[in-house]
Amino acid sequence: MPAAAIVGFGGSDLSGSIIDRIKRVLTRDHRPRLRVSWPIAGVMLVASIAVLFALYKGTNATVALAGKLLSPQERIDRLNEIARTHGVEAREYGPADKILLSGTVATWDGRPLPRDTHIVVHSRRPRHSGSYGISLSQNGPFTYAGAFEYEAVFGEIRIAVSADGYAPAFSGPHRSEPGGMVTGIEITLQAGFDAAIRLVDEQKNPIGGAEIIGGYLYDEGSYSHSIGLTTDESGVAVLKNAAARRVALQVRADGFEFDRSIRFTPDPERPAVFALKPTLPAMGTVIAKDTGQPVQGAEIRLMLSKAGDGSYGEGGMHGDPPAVTDTQGRFALRSLRADTQYLVLVKADGYMPTYSDTVAPGHGVELALDRFRPIQGKVIGDLGRLKLRDGRAVVSYTDTFVMTGHSSVGSAKTVECDIRDGEALFSIDDYWGQTVSITAADESRTLDPTADDIGNVIFNLSPEMDSAKRRVVLQVNVPEGSPPAAGGLRIDHITDEMRRLKRGMAPQWLELKDGTAEVYLPVPCDFKYSIDYYHGPRPVGYWFAEMVQPVRIEPDDEPFVVRIEAHPAGGIYGVVRNADGSPCEQASASLVLGSKPSIVEYHHRLSNVLSGTDRGKYNASPLPLDGSYIIVAHRGDTWVATDPIALTAANPIQPCDVPIPQGITLQGRLLDPDGSPARMMVRLEVSLKTDATRWGSGGREIRPDEMGRFAFENVNRDFKGDYYIKVTTEPGYRPLRHKVADPTKPVVLELAKGLSVTGVVLDSATGRPVPNAQLWAWADSTSTRIADYESLEADGPADGRGRFTFSNMAKRRYRLNVRNANMADSMRPVEVIGGQIEPVTIRISIPQWSELKPATPKP
């Protein structure tokens, strides 16, 4: 390695002497000594000291200027200001906040508006979205002359107008302050054009009779249901009077998988061709449990579905059922996806509503129904507290159904009470939920009609029956010299009675005043507090750790005081911008923890600080100091991650705009093990690993075409993380999640067949099979590499005989587990090897709180 020049002070100047010249010729790597005279050296030393002193003073000045150091009050004032300009306002919006819209609708050719002209007003704001229709009328808000005036729910407003013989027209976004108005809106309906949609199978044969529904997109996530078509014998449906605007479609055809992934822009010159994926029918028989006889006329309704990591609402109780049983009690569902698990409701007159999640393509199932039992009960005590409808006392109820954590609630209904001898009697005979929540006055109860006593439900509204309550005081302690905490926090509580009725913890949102909040809670109860990042106000300028384990509050006359230690907090704010610098209103933003602050123990909830944007603006606060954070923004499949942003006492608040770049197209092909094209759904996922955590997310699923080809548009080639392509595989295949080495190069993904293991789940107490048991398998590996660990789901829940199948295993050892149950012998885990021939028997102990029940013996 070449020697560095050496600075020497003093001595005679011989650097140009003949000796040095000779050494340079004869000695490899020789470097002459640099000679500096004493006067020059002195000047250099003084200058160096002066520069170092200036840098020291400048650094101190920069630190003082950057933090200033902000006083606690100045920091809080600044955070409040940022919350107003960049944050989502933590408030409820009511009738007084509605926006008055007014304007006119006209036709391009001057003709009167058709009688079927409709306006749809779409209002969107963070955590709220809704569409509202206005029809043409003589004296209503939308008149035959084309003038309209309408009070819209507060939010960002987009307007769509449709009329027979004209292309749909759109206006917006329109914005106003709460309670404001937007006037002078002018919308002109154009002629449009005809656009053809052609549906074919994978051999290019036409698919006739397919139902197409959908609408024009407001953005990638929402649209108005304005398109309803059916293909003819040649597989063609014509979208009349189309507009050159992006459309989202859902397609259903017998013998083919239901497809909700279609997006395209109508083109008058070129038909849009889509190939559907074939599927097998899901067959079933419905019988009466007490007689074994078939049940004719039973409605088969799809309520929820789960595919991969996503859950979806299905048709539910809306419209005609997808299938109805025949005289033999038989039914067939002919458009289910093989990679999807469905929650199915069987509803028949005279029988209990029955749910099943074992219906799947290519399989048969027998569903046995119990005789119907109404929910009957009475209200006693202060009947004057009951709500009235048309002068009659009523109780209200809602139907709820749930599937693997995703729940849905039906519309609230009421039933009149029959007042007799000071009691209000009621009977509910049209419920259909897995659970039914009933409310009398302000008292609620949730019942499972298949397990609970629904023949004698009693609500006692007597004052003496009100639970004893205790005053709970929450004191937020802040560092000395700091202003008291303001903003809000969330508390949750559950009483023993709530737990007995299988109700969850009840939330409340409290406002902090001078660092204190108070509430009266029924006792005894279990209680905890937290920062709610989704609802209600947050504390401003302070962060505190949530209470992970609830504490018990017993009855007492003295207040129950909870002292919360708060720490100074800062924030990160900015705007997600398009390539041209304008705000990217369709973008979403997330927070990833870069390095963990020392005061944070459970950091998983910090990611909830930021869960979206408001017209491109974001505000992540409160964030504990002495940590670093990464902002991840995305629009569609374009993902961007910032460098870690450190928050310190000197710099507690950091601005950071995030630009969305113009991306590339990531192309690929999906192949079956035999090399033929495969068409299972794929999606692009991202992963980011930091010193503190591993974070990941993903975009929308797309279906490869008939050649197995797929493409993700506008992919950021410089994303500071990893890309993966995940395939939602069907039963019989191994899971596939492929890491993309270079997004600029095409990717070829090859599926692999899985190995099978079968078995049965039995209740250890009764020896009977356990239907609907959810099973998962964990790879038993001694390796320390994360990639060697694997978690698999069974093909579906256990059937009515407790039988299950895994068809996605490798030739390795797995340990089997059952959710909501305990292994009968915890010291002897159930282990299998993928592909083994011998069925396995799993014996479980079912806790009292579990929804699992052993099968009822047949008569």
Side-chain angles (χ1 to χ4, degrees):
M1 179 177 180
I6 300 174
V7 178
F9 294 100
S12 59
D13 186 8
L14 301 176
S15 60
S17 69
I18 189 65
I19 296 176
D20 267 328
R21 295 179 186 178
I22 294 172
K23 286 183 178 181
R24 283 200 300 267
V25 174
L26 298 179
T27 305
R28 183 183 177 183
D29 294 336
H30 170 72
R31 293 293 184 270
R33 292 172 60 88
L34 182 60
R35 306 292 178 176
V36 180
S37 65
W38 277 112
I40 295 176
V43 171
M44 291 175 61
L45 180 61
V46 172
S48 299
I49 293 172
V51 169
L52 290 173
F53 181 76
L55 288 174
Y56 167 76
K57 296 296 289 184
T59 300
N60 280 349
T62 301
V63 170
L65 183 62
K68 199 181 169 179
L69 294 157
L70 287 178
S71 71
Q73 187 63 60
E74 289 173 328
R75 174 173 49 82
I76 290 172
D77 290 344
R78 179 64 179 136
L79 288 170
N80 272 319
E81 179 185 348
I82 292 169
R84 286 191 295 270
T85 59
H86 288 73
V88 177
E89 192 170 9
R91 57 163 287 187
E92 300 293 333
Y93 293 90
D97 300 306
K98 288 186 174 182
I99 299 173
L100 180 63
L101 308 174
S102 64
T104 57
V105 178
T107 60
W108 72 274
D109 52 9
R111 293 177 180 271
L113 293 175
R115 291 298 179 97
D116 67 343
T117 304
H118 294 278
I119 295 177
V120 174
V121 176
H122 183 73
S123 174
R124 182 171 68 95
R125 64 176 185 265
R127 304 167 194 163
H128 170 83
S129 178
S131 295
Y132 312 88
I134 316 171
S135 298
L136 203 62
S137 62
Q138 183 68 43
N139 299 309
F142 183 25
T143 68
Y144 293 128
F148 68 88
E149 187 173 275
Y150 179 74
E151 285 189 321
V153 173
F154 174 73
E156 183 180 80
I157 303 297
R158 287 176 167 83
I159 301 173
V161 183
S162 61
D164 189 31
Y166 295 91
F170 303 87
S171 178
H174 301 289
R175 303 184 180 96
S176 171
E177 295 298 318
M181 62 178 62
V182 179
T183 62
I185 302 171
E186 296 183 355
I187 302 173
T188 302
L189 295 169
Q190 301 294 334
F193 53 86
D194 289 351
I197 302 169
R198 187 164 186 261
L199 301 180
V200 299
D201 62 20
E202 293 176 349
Q203 287 72 45
K204 306 292 187 181
N205 300 310
I207 301 175
E211 297 178 0
I212 303 172
I213 63 170
Y216 291 89
L217 287 163
Y218 296 120
D219 50 49
E220 270 304 308
S222 58
Y223 60 88
S224 172
H225 288 269
S226 57
I227 296 174
L229 304 170
T230 302
T231 57
D232 60 20
E233 294 181 354
S234 63
V236 174
V238 177
L239 182 58
K240 297 283 188 180
N241 306 109
R245 186 184 181 96
R246 194 162 171 79
V247 164
L249 297 181
Q250 300 181 11
V251 178
R252 190 184 303 275
D254 284 352
F256 298 90
E257 291 191 353
F258 174 68
D259 196 333
R260 57 165 52 91
S261 65
I262 295 176
R263 302 284 194 275
F264 80 106
T265 300
D267 187 334
E269 305 297 330
R270 186 175 60 180
V273 181
F274 303 101
L276 302 185
K277 186 176 185 292
T279 188
L280 296 172
M283 313 293 289
T285 304
V286 179
I287 63 171
K289 183 179 290 186
D290 55 354
T291 66
Q293 295 299 308
V295 177
Q296 181 182 1
E299 295 182 355
I300 314 298
R301 292 185 175 273
L302 301 177
M303 308 303 286
L304 293 171
S305 63
K306 180 179 183 298
D309 299 325
S311 297
Y312 306 92
E314 296 291 337
M317 300 300 293
H318 303 290
D320 295 331
V324 177
T325 56
D326 63 13
T327 56
Q328 300 300 311
R330 298 171 302 190
F331 68 89
L333 297 168
R334 303 184 184 278
S335 58
L336 302 189
R337 283 173 48 174
D339 63 358
T340 299
Q341 183 183 350
Y342 294 89
L343 180 68
V344 172
L345 166 63
V346 182
K347 190 173 183 293
D349 290 341
Y351 295 91
M352 294 289 285
T354 302
Y355 284 80
S356 172
D357 53 9
T358 61
V359 177
H363 296 277
V365 63
E366 182 180 89
L367 302 172
L369 310 186
D370 283 312
R371 297 291 175 177
F372 183 78
R373 295 179 294 125
I375 299 175
Q376 296 178 322
K378 61 184 178 182
V379 183
I380 61 176
D382 184 4
L383 302 187
R385 293 169 58 184
L386 288 173
K387 293 183 179 180
L388 302 179
R389 188 187 67 185
D390 299 328
R392 307 257 320 187
V394 297
V395 298
S396 61
Y397 62 100
T398 56
D399 298 283
T400 301
F401 47 100
V402 64
M403 179 182 186
T404 58
H406 180 93
S407 63
S408 187
V409 180
S411 300
K413 294 173 284 187
T414 59
V415 61
E416 292 184 355
C417 298
D418 183 13
I419 308 296
R420 296 182 189 176
D421 301 325
E423 297 179 343
L425 309 180
F426 63 88
S427 180
I428 301 172
D429 56 10
D430 63 345
Y431 65 88
W432 47 263
Q434 284 175 308
T435 60
V436 181
S437 297
I438 307 171
T439 300
D442 53 357
E443 299 292 328
S444 296
R445 189 165 302 173
T446 299
L447 301 174
D448 178 352
T450 64
D452 295 332
D453 179 8
I454 61 173
N456 188 31
V457 181
I458 299 176
F459 288 88
N460 194 335
L461 302 184
S462 300
E464 62 269 16
M465 292 303 296
D466 290 342
S467 300
K469 293 187 176 181
R470 184 174 178 183
R471 180 181 170 215
V472 178
V473 180
L474 296 98
Q475 296 178 349
V476 179
N477 299 327
V478 300
E480 185 177 354
S482 299
L489 50 74
R490 167 178 169 161
I491 65 168
D492 294 84
H493 80 275
I494 184 169
T495 63
D496 297 340
E497 176 68 5
M498 293 165 63
R499 187 176 282 111
R500 186 185 70 81
L501 296 173
K502 299 180 181 179
R503 292 166 58 180
M505 299 192 82
Q508 287 180 261
W509 290 267
L510 307 181
E511 182 181 358
L512 290 167
K513 295 181 178 179
D514 293 327
T516 301
E518 296 187 5
V519 66
Y520 283 86
L521 294 179
V523 287
C525 72
D526 292 320
F527 156 90
K528 66 178 183 178
Y529 62 81
S530 63
I531 299 175
D532 192 331
Y533 298 110
Y534 296 102
H535 187 281
R538 308 175 183 182
V540 180
Y542 297 103
W543 177 89
F544 56 80
E546 67 176 295
M547 179 181 285
V548 178
Q549 294 295 330
V551 297
R552 187 73 170 175
I553 302 180
E554 300 289 353
D556 200 303
D557 293 334
E558 294 297 319
F560 187 88
V561 179
V562 181
R563 292 179 173 83
I564 303 172
E565 295 300 320
H567 306 272
I572 303 170
Y573 70 98
V575 181
V576 182
R577 298 189 180 278
N578 293 311
D580 62 3
S582 61
C584 185
E585 298 186 357
Q586 297 78 35
S588 180
S590 303
L591 183 88
V592 178
L593 184 61
S595 58
K596 187 172 74 70
S598 59
I599 61 173
V600 175
E601 183 176 2
Y602 301 101
H603 65 267
H604 62 281
R605 276 178 51 84
L606 277 176
S607 61
N608 299 332
V609 172
L610 180 61
S611 59
T613 65
D614 182 9
R615 288 174 263 174
K617 298 182 294 184
Y618 75 88
N619 176 31
S621 180
L623 292 175
L625 304 181
D626 297 323
S628 67
Y629 307 89
I630 297 169
I631 304 297
V632 179
H634 84 100
R635 179 191 59 202
D637 284 319
T638 311
W639 296 82
V640 183
T642 68
D643 291 326
I645 303 167
L647 297 185
T648 64
N651 292 285
I653 303 170
Q654 294 280 19
C656 181
D657 284 2
V658 185
I660 298 289
Q662 186 66 38
I664 61 171
T665 299
L666 171 54
Q667 298 179 326
R669 282 193 79 196
L670 182 63
L671 302 178
D672 247 332
D674 61 3
S676 62
R679 305 198 60 210
M680 299 178 196
M681 303 293 281
V682 299
R683 77 167 183 163
L684 184 66
E685 295 186 340
V686 293
S687 178
L688 197 62
K689 186 178 183 305
T690 72
D691 293 339
T693 189
R694 182 184 293 272
W695 175 91
S697 187
R700 185 176 61 88
E701 282 189 326
I702 61 175
R703 186 181 294 283
D705 65 14
E706 64 276 13
M707 299 302 295
R709 296 171 300 200
F710 58 87
F712 300 106
E713 304 292 339
N714 293 316
V715 174
N716 177 15
R717 62 187 299 173
D718 299 319
F719 177 68
K720 297 174 182 177
D722 295 318
Y723 286 118
Y724 291 85
I725 298 175
K726 183 175 182 180
V727 182
T728 302
T729 50
E730 301 169 0
Y733 288 86
R734 293 279 297 141
L736 178 56
R737 186 172 184 259
H738 174 81
K739 185 176 181 178
V740 179
D742 184 350
T744 66
K745 296 180 180 179
V747 176
V748 177
L749 307 180
E750 296 184 1
L751 295 165
K753 290 288 188 179
L755 300 176
S756 294
V757 165
T758 62
V760 63
V761 181
L762 301 178
D763 174 38
S764 63
T766 63
R768 296 201 297 266
V770 182
N772 302 316
Q774 300 275 351
L775 291 96
W776 59 284
W778 178 256
D780 185 15
S781 175
T782 58
S783 170
T784 58
R785 294 197 315 136
I786 292 179
D788 288 339
Y789 289 85
E790 184 178 28
S791 179
L792 300 176
E793 297 290 329
D795 291 0
D799 65 13
R801 300 179 184 179
R803 298 174 301 186
F804 65 87
T805 299
F806 286 88
S807 63
N808 50 5
M809 290 184 168
K811 189 74 172 180
R812 64 186 302 187
R813 185 176 298 276
Y814 295 88
R815 182 172 296 181
L816 303 188
N817 301 273
V818 179
R819 292 186 175 90
N820 299 320
N822 301 315
M823 291 297 178
D825 187 350
S826 59
M827 302 303 294
R828 298 180 63 185
V830 178
E831 295 184 344
V832 298
I833 295 177
Q836 71 179 44
I837 298 175
E838 304 82 9
V840 62
T841 298
I842 302 177
R843 299 185 185 276
I844 61 173
S845 173
I846 303 176
Q848 186 176 3
W849 51 262
S850 175
E851 296 180 354
L852 295 177
K853 306 295 179 188
T856 303
K858 289 189 176 181

